[in-house]
Structure formats: structure tokens, C-alpha cells
Amino acid sequence: MADSPTVTLSSGTIRGSAHGGIVRFLGIPYAAAPFGENRFREPQPVTPWADVRDALEFGPTAPQVPYTGATGELLGSVHIEGDDILTANVWAPADATAAPVMLWIHGGALERGTAALSLYDGAAFARAGIVFVSINYRLGAEGFSVLENAPRNLGLRDAAAALEWVHREVPAFGGDPDRITAMGESAGGALVAALLTRDDSRRLISRAIIESGPLEAQTAEKAGRVTTQMAKRLGIRADRESFAAVSPHHLLEIRRQQSAGSSPLGGAPGYQPAIDADSMPRSPHEVLGRIDTPLLIGTNTDEYRLWFPPEALSSISRLKLFLATLALRIPRRAVAEYRAEWPSASTGEIFGQLATDVMLRRAMTGVARSRPATTHVYEFAWPSPVRDLRAAHALELGFVFDRLDDPETQRLAGPDAPQALADEMHAAWIAFVTTGDPGWPVYGPSRQTRLFDETSSTVAQRRTTGLDLLPG
């Protein structure tokens, strides 16, 4: 294929780039810019273009405030100006024909992140014969406010529109629209789970991968707390007309003020998907256990160590732990089991492990145990030498994408992470996308789990005694 390959889509022709047998097309709009008259509306169709459109650079990033402090040193960000934030990026083998497809949805707590991060480069997947697609979607107030007279879960609706775009347009890149694997991490994993609750989206997904993704959605009242508090700060009603009259930049500033002084242990509420008849009729943890979509799902051993810096962990007393367990209705017996499983852990670390399991591992395990469909479970356990992060949240991404040399990976993993582990994980994800079998047994009654570490193994799921005592 030429160095400047072109592809014709339903909206017009685009020009990309080619290198080493891989073609790349960046910043392709899958929906119209969600500003002006389109603000706080469902994603609208793209206006077709007549001339060949360059697809050589990533599209604008969704409005967001970068991570700050210690977290900002570990998690990078990219800022690209512009309004056309609803874009997709494609990496494909130059000779692809009916190739399997991977749709990647980035994380960032629903208010940060972008597909333009170098860590999310899809070339390694394309070299393996996969058409890799990544997307941006609306974040924060623009994407997950709960407003009167406005659709809910707009960021999720963007992801659903992007999935429909991939299904419609991916044959032009050599992809098979009937072999789409949706994959996401953290908030991106939550959006993959949410897509699987929708009949219209689920029929387009052949397989799914969820990495450290929260599976429990909230009522509109609970998900709307952040919006209600912002409206009070602004002195306006929490409705579409009032929020649309406030600039995106000012909403970000109000959110920054709202979050100032907050910590993972308390403070301002965060954005969460809202249960909604039109966009997400039920919480994913209630749906995933009953559908037949093959699933690869897992968590990291020490997720909490990204969220809770050492000073926060050291400040957690036995009284704070006791009060937290009361609030979360965690029985004393469960706490005792966690202490037995982690005999050398501090009180703060016990709290962190409980928080990890309440937020992620409890629902994941419940889903895996009840599913009638093929389910493969993993635990990422390799301990990073950086800042005693151990196997923290998001650490596995550099291994999955086979990007250990990337600066974004090295922020979390350091410069000497084991390439053999990246080779293993990357190959497992490729195998799941292409064949449905990542290389270890299904979860099943024996709770078989792949433990990824310097030396990986397949074991019965670890630390289940206390986990199974947590309230559902």
C-alpha cells in the first residue's frame, strides 16, 4: 500500500499514513462536535466532506483538568485544542481482509484521559493481524452530568455511537464487523460493561475484555450528586439550559474547586454512570452474569496503591477502618480474614485491599461465578519498584499493549519491567481477540485464574475467603 493510503467511508475519503506494513488513520470523526447546539445532546451524525480529509493527527481531546500532584507524576495527559472531540483512530495491517477488530476505550475516572496517549498506540496489535480502533468520548460534566431535560450518560452514548461506527465502517480498513472485541480499562472497562447492558450495542460485540473496571452503576440520584453540588456552586438549576449557558472551561474550573482538598478517603463525589431506561437500563453487574458474550476480565493485586498515596495509608487508624467497615456493612469476620490473608499489612493496607475488593473484585467475582458464557479471569500481580506501587491500578496496561519502552509505561513500571511478561500478556490478549481462548482454563466452579507475575501460573482464585463474605 502507498505511504499515503486512502480509505473511503460513508462520510467521505480520508488519507492516512503507512509504515512497516501497518496503516494508520487518526482523528476520524464518528459523530459531530458536541458543542454549540449539540451540547448536552445525544451524539449527532457527522457532516460528510467532499475533499480527501487528512487523518494524520489525533483529534482534539475532551475538556478535562490534568492529574495533579503525585498522581500527575504517575499518569500522563495530552491536551489537543478543538471541538471535534468525538473521533476514532485506526491501526490496521496493510493487507487486512476480514481481520478481527479491537475497540479500545480509555480510562480516567470518566473525567480524564484520551486515546492520544502514546501508551495506547495500536501498532503492536495491528502487527498481529488485528484492526485496532481507539476512541475519545465526552468526559466529566459534558459527558456524565445528570441534568433535567438532557439525556443521561452522554459519554456512554458516545461510546455506543463509536461502536456502531466501527461496525459500519471497519470493512473499509479490512476488519470483520462480526468479530469486534470491545476492550477497556478502569472507567473504560466500566463503559464496556455498560455497552453490554444495551441490546443494541451488545449485538455488535463478539467478545469483551474488562481490565479493572467498576461493574456497579448507580441510581440517577446518587450519580447526580456531583452535578447537584456543581449547580449549587454556580447558583443555577441542574438542567440542560442552565449548564449549556456555562462554558466548558468554567465547568472545569468549578469542578476543580469542588475537588480541591478531596482525597480518595473522602471529599467531592465523582462521576459515575447512571442507571437509565434509555442508555443503560440495569447495572452491569446484574446483566453480565446472564449474557452469552465471551469475557476476559480481571484486576490487579494492589489496585488501591495508585489511589491512596503512602501518607494517606499511614493515616488510617483502626478506628477509621472500623467506621469504614460499618458504613460499608462489612462484617467483622471478613476483616479478620483479610488480616489473616495479609498478616504483615498495616491497617491502611488492609483498608486498601478491602476498598479494592468492594470497588472492583467483589462484583467481578460475582459476575464470573454466575456467567453461563465463557469467562477467563486474571490477576495481575507483578510488583512495580516505583514508589512501592506494587501491582497498582493501571500498571498492567504497558504489558497488555507491549509498550514497556514507552515513557507513560515507565512512569508506573520503571525502566526494567520484564519483557517476557509483556510478551505473555500481549499474546494472551491477541489470542482471546482472535480465537476466544487466551491460553488458560475458563473460570468455572474451580475458579481458575491466570496469575500474571515474573513467573506466571494458573491457580484457583486467591484470597476468596474474606472476599466471599463481603455484602453483595
Side-chain angles (χ1 to χ4, degrees):
M1 184 174 283
D3 290 341
S4 299
T6 60
V7 166
T8 298
L9 308 174
S10 61
S11 52
T13 300
I14 55 175
R15 178 186 296 111
S17 60
H19 179 73
I22 303 299
V23 296
R24 184 177 72 166
F25 299 85
L26 306 178
I28 314 163
Y30 66 81
F35 299 105
E37 64 179 13
N38 292 335
R39 199 158 173 228
F40 298 113
R41 294 181 62 192
E42 292 190 28
Q44 300 297 304
V46 171
T47 300
W49 55 87
D51 297 332
V52 177
R53 179 182 181 131
D54 282 337
L56 304 173
E57 298 180 351
F58 288 103
T61 48
Q64 60 191 278
V65 175
Y67 292 103
T68 59
T71 304
E73 295 175 7
L74 295 170
L75 300 178
S77 61
V78 174
H79 175 73
I80 304 173
E81 286 284 351
D83 288 345
D84 275 318
I85 65 173
L86 302 184
T87 58
N89 315 288
V90 180
W91 288 257
D95 58 354
T97 302
V101 180
M102 176 182 282
L103 170 61
W104 167 249
I105 305 178
H106 70 78
L110 300 179
E111 59 181 325
R112 293 182 175 90
T114 169
L117 277 177
S118 57
L119 173 58
Y120 304 147
D121 188 291
F125 285 107
R127 283 194 293 270
I130 294 170
V131 176
F132 179 93
V133 185
S134 63
I135 63 166
N136 285 345
Y137 53 95
R138 276 174 282 187
L139 302 171
E142 304 296 324
F144 294 94
S145 291
V146 177
L147 301 170
E148 293 181 26
N149 305 319
R152 290 172 183 159
N153 300 317
L154 287 170
L156 170 60
R157 293 172 191 261
D158 294 341
L163 174 61
E164 293 175 1
W165 181 90
V166 171
H167 187 266
R168 183 175 65 250
E169 308 291 356
V170 81
F173 301 98
D176 184 346
D178 295 324
R179 299 173 67 193
I180 299 173
T181 297
M183 177 173 85
E185 183 266 345
S186 193
L191 291 180
V192 170
L195 289 173
L196 291 170
T197 70
R198 300 166 51 113
D199 292 341
D200 59 343
S201 297
R202 185 169 62 251
R203 66 181 178 82
L204 305 181
I205 298 173
S206 63
R207 301 184 181 106
I209 301 173
I210 299 174
E211 301 175 27
S212 304
L215 303 181
E216 298 181 61
Q218 305 299 328
T219 63
E221 179 182 7
K222 187 170 183 179
R225 288 176 184 172
V226 58
T227 308
T228 301
Q229 289 187 12
M230 288 182 68
K232 287 181 179 179
R233 281 179 172 267
L234 287 162
I236 61 175
R237 290 176 52 83
D239 59 27
R240 179 188 173 192
E241 294 75 15
S242 300
F243 268 59
V246 181
S247 72
H249 175 78
H250 191 46
L251 287 180
L252 287 176
E253 174 58 22
I254 293 299
R255 174 60 178 161
R256 187 194 63 76
Q257 295 174 16
Q258 181 189 39
S259 302
S262 293
S263 75
L265 299 177
Y271 289 100
Q272 300 179 76
I275 297 170
D276 170 62
D278 292 332
S279 58
M280 188 173 60
R282 301 191 68 180
S283 177
H285 80 283
E286 298 176 344
V287 177
L288 293 182
R290 297 196 298 273
I291 61 175
D292 60 3
T293 308
L295 180 63
L296 171 60
I297 189 168
T299 59
N300 298 355
T301 304
D302 307 292
E303 302 269 7
Y304 71 98
R305 297 192 80 86
L306 181 67
W307 311 324
F308 304 120
E311 58 271 19
L313 293 174
S314 64
S315 71
I316 298 174
S317 64
R318 286 182 174 269
L319 176 59
K320 286 184 179 180
L321 175 61
F322 174 70
L323 294 175
T325 57
L326 284 181
L328 295 171
R329 297 181 295 110
I330 297 174
R332 291 185 180 181
R333 183 182 165 198
V335 178
E337 291 291 347
Y338 274 77
R339 290 196 179 279
E341 291 281 3
W342 305 92
S344 61
S346 68
T347 298
E349 288 168 339
I350 294 297
F351 175 88
Q353 292 295 349
L354 281 163
T356 291
D357 286 3
V358 167
M359 294 175 65
L360 298 174
R361 198 162 163 256
R362 173 186 61 183
M364 181 211 73
T365 299
V367 163
R369 296 184 74 179
S370 62
R371 279 174 54 80
T374 300
T375 307
H376 292 88
V377 174
Y378 74 88
E379 178 184 340
F380 181 83
W382 180 76
S384 169
V386 176
R387 298 189 186 180
D388 198 24
L389 286 171
R390 304 178 199 175
H393 190 66
L395 180 62
E396 87 289 353
L397 287 170
F399 297 83
V400 168
F401 277 80
D402 193 17
R403 300 279 294 176
L404 296 189
D405 292 336
D406 191 284
E408 293 300 323
T409 299
Q410 294 187 4
R411 288 171 182 258
L412 291 171
D416 301 314
Q419 182 59 48
L421 180 54
D423 293 342
E424 179 188 4
M425 292 190 72
H426 186 61
W429 265 238
I430 289 168
F432 181 77
V433 171
T434 55
T435 71
D437 181 1
W440 66 90
V442 297
Y443 184 76
S446 60
R447 302 172 81 157
Q448 292 293 287
T449 301
R450 188 63 175 173
L451 186 66
F452 287 112
D453 205 337
E454 193 95 39
T455 300
S456 300
S457 58
T458 300
V459 300
Q461 187 181 18
R462 303 193 301 170
R463 306 180 309 282
T464 56
T465 304
L467 177 71
D468 291 346
L469 293 171
L470 297 180

